[in-house]
Amino acid sequence: MKLLASRPLWLVAGLIVAVLFFVELRDLRAGEPPLSVSTPAMSASPAAPATSAASTTSAPAKSRVSSSNESRVVAEGRIATYPGAEVLVSSEVAGTIVKLPVVEKQQVRKGDLIAELRADDLRAELAEARARVVEAEAEIRLADAERTRAQSLFEQKVDTASRRDKAVRDVEVSNARRVTQAAAVVRLEAEIAKRRIVAPIDGVVMVRHADAGEAVEAHGSLVTIVDLSRVRIEAEVDEFDAGRLTVGSSVAIAAEGFTDQHWRGTVEEIPDGVSGRRLKPQDPGKPVDTRVLLVKIRLEEATPLKLGQRVEVEIGG
């Protein structure tokens, strides 16, 4: 009876031991790396240098492209004239315009009449001044004859030295009077010349600011003349790109409205100072004190671009 009573205890103990064994076996299997993972890892290790070599080989190519892109400077500009190629012609004196024979887009040559102001009163004064010059010359001839006669009489001891001296003084006064009248003629001629305005350069009349019959103030504008054969581009390059600019660099030029058309240019001048933007508003994403270099670009070929037209330039690259 004791043997039968102890058998359930041994049976329970055996079950417990079996359960613990299977649990431990499961934990051991869970901790081992699976064969399907270890095999690819081992086979992939020899290929690792090839992958590294490929990335090393492709890196320089990417760097070259990046360097090429970074060497280009893109900016906006406008067509402008060289210094002295655009002149605002104005009147030096106030007056009424009696002639303004030129019209817009008219080709003019240096010295051509642009406008004439009324000068009738000055011409009358000029005529009087010229008449006084003639009168002064007549007085000089008479005074010179009197001096000769007085000198002869003095030498013959017929007349006194004081009369001879007076005759000499009369000649000197007459000469001085003639010089004064001649100066008045020159002054009046200059005043009349100011009322005849001529073209200071060869070019085209771009704008006519006045019409015949109008009264203009001193330094009032009459016309704007531009020599369209002397134009270039003034590009606003960000000051942070200053280090990538070089005189003589090639420039590609494009403009809106001219699809698939490009022109060539060359950087001819890089200013020594920066200035504020004029073509577009300040970029809100950049510091408010950002400034630009007004780079001058020479056009290497004729273009249909108009004076003042905006363009996009790509410098270098």
Side-chain angles (χ1 to χ4, degrees):
M1 293 298 292
K2 289 182 180 179
L3 182 61
L4 294 173
S6 62
R7 289 178 66 181
L9 295 176
W10 285 104
L11 182 59
V12 172
L15 291 173
I16 292 174
V17 172
V19 170
L20 291 176
F21 175 76
F22 283 114
V23 170
E24 186 176 356
L25 181 61
R26 185 192 62 184
D27 292 341
L28 289 174
R29 286 184 174 276
E32 291 179 359
L35 294 177
S36 60
V37 175
S38 61
T39 302
M42 294 177 63
S43 62
S45 59
T51 304
S52 176
S55 62
T56 305
T57 304
S58 62
K62 182 177 180 181
S63 176
R64 284 196 298 270
V65 173
S66 176
S67 175
S68 176
N69 288 335
E70 289 179 358
S71 67
R72 300 190 185 99
V73 176
V74 177
E76 286 190 355
R78 68 180 183 88
I79 304 296
T81 59
Y82 280 88
E86 180 175 355
V87 180
L88 176 62
V89 181
S90 60
S91 172
E92 187 176 347
V93 296
T96 302
I97 301 173
V98 293
K99 291 182 182 179
L100 209 160
V102 297
V103 295
E104 293 181 357
K105 295 187 177 183
Q106 179 178 335
Q107 187 79 31
V108 295
R109 304 287 294 178
K110 182 177 181 179
D112 288 350
L113 178 66
I114 298 298
E116 187 174 343
L117 306 183
R118 179 170 290 119
D120 298 341
D121 52 345
L122 291 175
R123 290 191 179 91
E125 291 181 23
L126 177 61
E128 291 178 3
R130 286 172 174 168
R132 283 193 290 269
V133 170
V134 174
E135 182 180 357
E137 290 174 346
E139 290 178 354
I140 291 173
R141 289 192 294 271
L142 177 60
D144 191 56
E146 290 292 337
R147 181 188 61 181
T148 302
R149 187 179 301 109
Q151 179 66 27
S152 176
L153 293 174
F154 173 74
E155 291 175 354
Q156 296 174 14
K157 301 185 183 301
V158 176
D159 209 344
T160 62
S162 61
R163 289 181 64 86
R164 182 202 60 182
D165 295 341
K166 180 178 180 299
V168 172
R169 183 188 67 83
D170 290 343
V171 172
E172 293 174 349
V173 170
S174 298
N175 282 321
R177 186 176 294 116
R178 184 189 182 284
V179 170
T180 302
Q181 299 303 329
V185 170
V186 173
R187 178 183 63 80
L188 289 169
E189 288 176 343
E191 288 294 327
I192 293 173
K194 291 178 182 179
R195 286 156 176 79
R196 181 180 172 85
I197 300 96
V198 298
I201 61 171
D202 297 346
V204 176
V205 177
M206 296 294 291
V207 184
R208 199 170 94 156
H209 304 283
D211 292 302
E214 293 182 4
V216 293
E217 299 293 333
H219 309 294
S221 301
L222 298 173
V223 298
T224 298
I225 300 176
V226 178
D227 184 355
L228 295 178
S229 65
R230 300 175 59 204
V231 296
R232 62 182 177 182
I233 294 175
E234 294 181 351
E236 294 187 352
V237 177
D238 197 296
E239 62 179 324
F240 299 120
D241 293 324
R244 296 190 285 164
L245 297 174
T246 305
V247 173
S249 297
S250 61
V251 182
I253 305 161
E256 290 188 7
F258 295 90
T259 308
D260 299 330
Q261 293 190 53
H262 297 83
W263 303 276
R264 295 176 294 109
T266 303
V267 175
E268 69 174 359
E269 182 183 331
I270 301 173
D272 294 325
V274 297
S275 58
R277 294 183 185 275
R278 292 183 295 177
L279 289 178
K280 61 182 180 180
Q282 186 74 33
D283 187 348
K286 293 184 178 180
V288 294
D289 60 346
T290 299
R291 313 281 277 175
V292 296
L293 286 166
L294 201 61
V295 178
K296 313 303 190 303
I297 298 171
R298 181 178 66 251
L299 293 168
E300 299 295 344
E301 54 191 320
T303 73
L305 302 175
K306 305 300 183 182
L307 187 65
Q309 185 171 353
R310 291 194 181 194
V311 296
E312 184 176 284
V313 299
E314 184 175 310
I315 305 172

